[in-house]
Amino acid sequence: MRYEGAPTVIYVAGSSRSGTTLVERAVAARAGACTVGEAVDLFRGAVRADERCGCGRPLSECPFWTAVTQRVPALHDPEAFARMERIQAHLVRQRRMPALLAVARRETPPPQELMEYGRGFAEVYRAAADVAEADLVVDASKWPVQALALAVAGLDVRLLHVVRDPHGVAHSQAKVVSRPQDRDGAPMVRRPTLSTAARWSATQAQVGLVRWCGVPTGRLAYEDFVREPAGSLAAALSAAGVATTPEDLRHLHPGSAELPASHGVAGNPSRFTAGTVPLRLDEAWRTEMPVADRVGVSLLTAPARRFARGSSPAPTAPTLTWSRFVLGTWPRVSVIVPTRGRPDLVRDTVRAAVAQDYPGELEILVVHDQEAEDPTLTSLGTPGRRVAVTSNRRRAGLAGARNTGLELTDAPLVASCDDDDVWHPTKLTRQVTRLAEDPDLGVVGSGIRLMMPGGSVAEWPARAERFPLERLLRNRVKELHSSTLLVRREVLDAVDGYDESLPHGYGEDYDLILRAARVAPVGCVTEPLADINKRVQSWYQGRSRNTLDALTAFVERHPEIESSRRGYARVLGQMAFVESTMGRRRDAVRHATRGLLTWPVTPHVALAYGHIVTGVDPGRLLSLARRFGRGLS
């Protein structure tokens, strides 16, 4: 059954000390949402002890909870309250999970007390929504069994599964942390490291069972949330069936969140803070946790960690609402061209941008990186095709140069082109038309032509019209080259632009694509629309040591790569090849062997073994490899 007037509930599930409180507040800060904190604690002692609300007042003195209590018989009627306590103590227990699963799978009818329990919480959520004038209620009760009980009882529950590295959870759980909502200041529960690891594993398994019963579920890695709050949260909410717009998450920024005062019950002490809240990873366990504990946690949680990754919804982009336009309307496009040391080539790039047959307005922003500006480039502009010149104001390198351009434009569409590549005249018209035809797309690339040394040309049409995240993890799609991309500004804002902290700036365009694919579908115009110059060496291309550092960091920043066997084997093969060229044969063999076991037919691993065995010039080996198939993207 469904309860009349009951709102949709975003139920935040996960282990204690996993960041659920922070995520709960980030979700509740969007317009039309409110939080009740860990509502399961209302009938577990919070009301009887008159604990402090997130606003700092005791529950009996908090205007929000006073108004809610007046509307909910189970909170103000002693007999009804005691009844809810008894049902909860009997029903919401891990050992009751099999019985709830049987009800969820319609193998047994729901017991009367379960329906009564659901009705009581429906009244709590409805009252909270009424008082807050919201249509979404966020409940951070964490327990998967509570979420299943509510869903089976007929409430509209959407599960937001927050997962934090179990080592960090175990290390945090062992600390002494005060519980300021208690009037006596008692500390939060502490547990031994291995006990926490076992509980963490059990929680992941239980969440998987709730999802198996059909409860819409989105998985959010806490580490992803800290690094990229808006994009990762949007993707997780979308997977749970909660529509999100970029405006909903404007309060989330790189490294911080703007959070209003909370009326949440129980939970982490962070609920008592408001305003600008820093977002940072607590990875003290890496240096402070004893080796024996680290090994124990790793062994105890290994199956659950693999299960937690596998239980995530298929890696597809969420459905967001972007600004739309129709065929025949042509929004302004900003073209960002980073340049360094190529005064002649960049002129060809700018001329090709100016010569686009695009009916709308264009602005071409040339960003000089680590060199003096060339103001004469502005003379290449024409009416409706303004050319502006500036210097990189941010971190030296491609990412900083591109972000400098982003800071200088508010155009709804942003294109990028490297300073040695040239567009075909119809490129932007074809891509903007594609966005009008497929308005859910956030990023559009195109096929390319590779201008090879010696004068040869390799045609490279796009292999697909859409590239889901799963495909992007598999390989670095060449059609989504930095010189082909046309991106909605809202997507760039949602992922906070280019990551300037990547070691040596390696793969800044691929990194952006992976992050963008979490918040918007990625597509392509299949025909080649850009000439990519492979005859010159990039200023930004690092050498072996740089590449190895960057590949290592890339896997750490995008752990989902490990979930793609082909993608992970590709990176392992690349690392092995670089290590072999550096003379680090033992490390090269280790990574190549691991890649072989992960995905035996990966060409990158074969290439690495080829260099390990022969030691031939790596350039010659790469040239030979490119003669077969479409390369090693």
Side-chain angles (χ1 to χ4, degrees), residues 172-200:
S172 179
Q173 192 79 63
K175 297 179 182 177
V176 177
V177 178
S178 64
R179 193 171 185 266
Q181 59 262 41
D182 281 343
R183 295 192 173 187
D184 59 3
M188 297 180 72
V189 174
R190 296 177 62 199
R191 288 193 175 90
T193 297
L194 298 186
S195 173
T196 299
R199 287 172 175 269
W200 185 94

Side-chain angles (χ1 to χ4, degrees), residues 369-370 392 394-401 500 505 540:
D369 181 47
Q370 305 172 67
N392 184 1
R394 300 174 63 106
R395 186 169 181 171
L398 266 176
E500 298 175 33
Y540 306 99

Side-chain angles (χ1 to χ4, degrees), residues 41-313:
D41 269 16
L42 289 171
F43 304 103
R44 293 181 66 244
V47 172
R48 289 195 182 279
D50 199 19
E51 293 183 354
R52 292 169 62 203
C53 166
C55 69
R57 300 181 181 92
L59 292 175
S60 61
E61 300 175 13
C62 168
F64 175 83
W65 281 106
T66 299
V68 170
T69 299
Q70 291 173 350
R71 289 168 165 81
V72 181
L75 290 178
H76 68 250
D77 179 81
E79 184 176 344
F81 186 90
R83 173 70 176 164
M84 286 290 288
E85 281 185 311
R86 288 194 297 272
I87 294 176
Q88 186 178 72
H90 172 249
L91 189 70
V92 186
R93 289 288 183 269
Q94 290 187 23
R95 65 177 180 269
R96 298 288 296 171
M97 185 71 100
L100 290 172
L101 290 172
V103 176
R105 306 302 290 180
R106 299 185 178 181
E107 297 170 3
T108 61
Q112 181 59 38
E113 65 175 10
L114 174 61
M115 305 311 295
E116 186 178 343
Y117 187 72
R119 187 179 308 108
F121 269 92
E123 292 172 349
V124 171
Y125 296 139
R126 181 167 53 219
D130 289 345
V131 173
E133 298 182 349
D135 53 16
L136 285 175
V137 174
V138 185
D139 183 345
S141 292
K142 295 197 291 287
W143 298 5
V145 66
Q146 169 79 353
L148 183 59
L150 298 177
V152 171
L155 278 78
D156 182 11
V157 175
R158 312 299 176 90
L159 202 66
L160 184 57
H161 179 202
V162 179
V163 183
R164 182 186 176 192
D165 187 297
H167 301 86
V169 172
H171 185 64
S172 179
Q173 192 79 63
K175 297 179 182 177
V176 177
V177 178
S178 64
R179 193 171 185 266
Q181 59 262 41
D182 281 343
R183 295 192 173 187
D184 59 3
M188 297 180 72
V189 174
R190 296 177 62 199
R191 288 193 175 90
T193 297
L194 298 186
S195 173
T196 299
R199 287 172 175 269
W200 185 94
S201 295
T203 298
Q204 313 317 310
Q206 290 168 18
V207 169
L209 290 173
V210 175
R211 181 172 177 264
W212 176 66
C213 290
V215 177
T217 303
R219 178 182 179 276
L220 176 64
Y222 179 70
E223 292 78 7
D224 287 348
F225 175 73
V226 171
R227 295 188 186 103
E228 188 189 325
S232 60
L233 184 56
L237 288 173
S238 178
V242 180
T244 305
T245 69
E247 187 64 32
D248 290 333
L249 304 178
R250 292 287 186 188
H251 56 286
L252 299 178
H253 316 289
S256 68
E258 299 295 330
L259 301 178
S262 168
H263 287 294
V265 175
N268 191 281
S270 64
R271 72 179 56 255
F272 294 98
T273 61
T276 302
V277 176
L279 302 179
R280 55 174 176 263
L281 289 177
D282 178 6
E283 295 194 316
W285 64 269
R286 295 185 181 276
T287 55
E288 297 177 5
M289 180 179 281
V291 173
D293 284 350
R294 291 181 63 175
V295 172
V297 171
S298 296
L299 292 175
L300 276 175
T301 62
R305 277 184 283 142
R306 181 176 295 274
F307 176 78
R309 289 197 298 267
S311 67
S312 304

